[in-house]
Amino acid sequence: MKIAFNGHAVVQIATNNGVKIIIDPFINGNPSCNLTVDKIKVDYVLLTHAHADHFGDTLEIAKSNQATVVANPELCDYLQSQGIEDLVPMQAGQTHDFDFGRLEYTPAIHGSSLTIDGEEIQMGKACGIILDIEGKTVYHMGDTHLFPELQALGENHAIDLAFAPIGGKYTMDAADAKTAVETLNAKKVIPVHYNTFEGIEADPNAFVASLPEGVGFIPIVGEFFTL
Ligand code: NI
Ligand code: MN
């Protein structure tokens, strides 16, 4: 498969058999993203949680592409109320087989609210996403702090690539992300969720340097690489 990191927590995946996926499509208002919403062509939108810097432009992207959206049940209810029909609600611990491979929702320690017309609405639980696609395993951790189940996730999955938040404040900082990477025994790690807005300042190069040689990886934003 081919993967691109598009800034903050936005990840795109293109499988070898032509399925296109976007995770947490925070495009408009994301200073580190160079995508244009109306040019995005995807079959699936996968959401870790409802916060605006992850939910982002889901409504527009899902509608214009008639994409399938995978999210927690409460967020799916909201999406349905907004006219999105093709929904797969999932909770932490659940797995689901798709035409691109297997998806597992993982726990995350974080909130999941969406502000609509100035009112903050709670939308289920925040999660992470593990994808088994074409023999490789990708783990998008979502927004989270360290949590005990990381140990079991690392034992049960041979993780080829993890996207780990390092910005602190709302998620793990770089030191905790290093612990997470070691706990998971991930082969490659891309730091995410830093320097996008105030409060999540972090040095991705220092994070990479803190890991064993060849594990940490900072891709060029928006450029697809092969996994
Ligand atoms: Ni969040
Ligand atoms: Mn976030």
Side-chain angles (χ1 to χ4, degrees), residues 78-137:
Y78 171 67
L79 287 160
Q80 191 168 33
S81 78
Q82 299 304 301
I84 309 297
E85 289 169 3
D86 199 349
L87 295 160
V88 180
M90 289 185 66
Q91 303 266 30
Q94 286 188 339
T95 57
H96 190 100
D97 289 318
F98 291 91
D99 59 354
F100 58 79
R102 174 165 285 197
L103 186 158
E104 176 178 334
Y105 255 36
T106 67
I109 296 188
H110 194 68
S112 177
S113 58
L114 189 61
T115 300
I116 302 166
D117 298 331
E119 196 190 340
E120 190 183 11
I121 316 271
Q122 295 304 317
M123 299 254 186
K125 291 198 166 79
C127 290
I129 295 169
I130 294 180
L131 297 165
D132 289 319
I133 299 175
E134 295 165 347
K136 298 276 185 179
T137 300

Side-chain angles (χ1 to χ4, degrees), residues 5-64:
F5 171 57
N6 287 95
H8 197 58
V10 185
V11 172
Q12 291 189 94
I13 296 173
T15 71
N16 292 338
N17 55 7
V19 178
K20 291 189 163 62
I21 298 165
I22 193 163
I23 305 175
D24 287 356
F26 169 45
I27 313 300
N28 286 319
N30 178 351
S32 56
C33 183
N34 54 8
L35 294 171
T36 306
V37 168
D38 59 14
K39 289 197 179 130
I40 292 173
K41 298 276 171 262
V42 288
D43 305 291
Y44 291 90
V45 180
L46 313 181
L47 297 175
T48 62
H49 65 296
H51 285 158
D53 60 315
H54 300 260
F55 183 78
D57 303 284
T58 292
L59 286 173
E60 193 177 335
I61 293 166
K63 280 180 188 170
S64 63

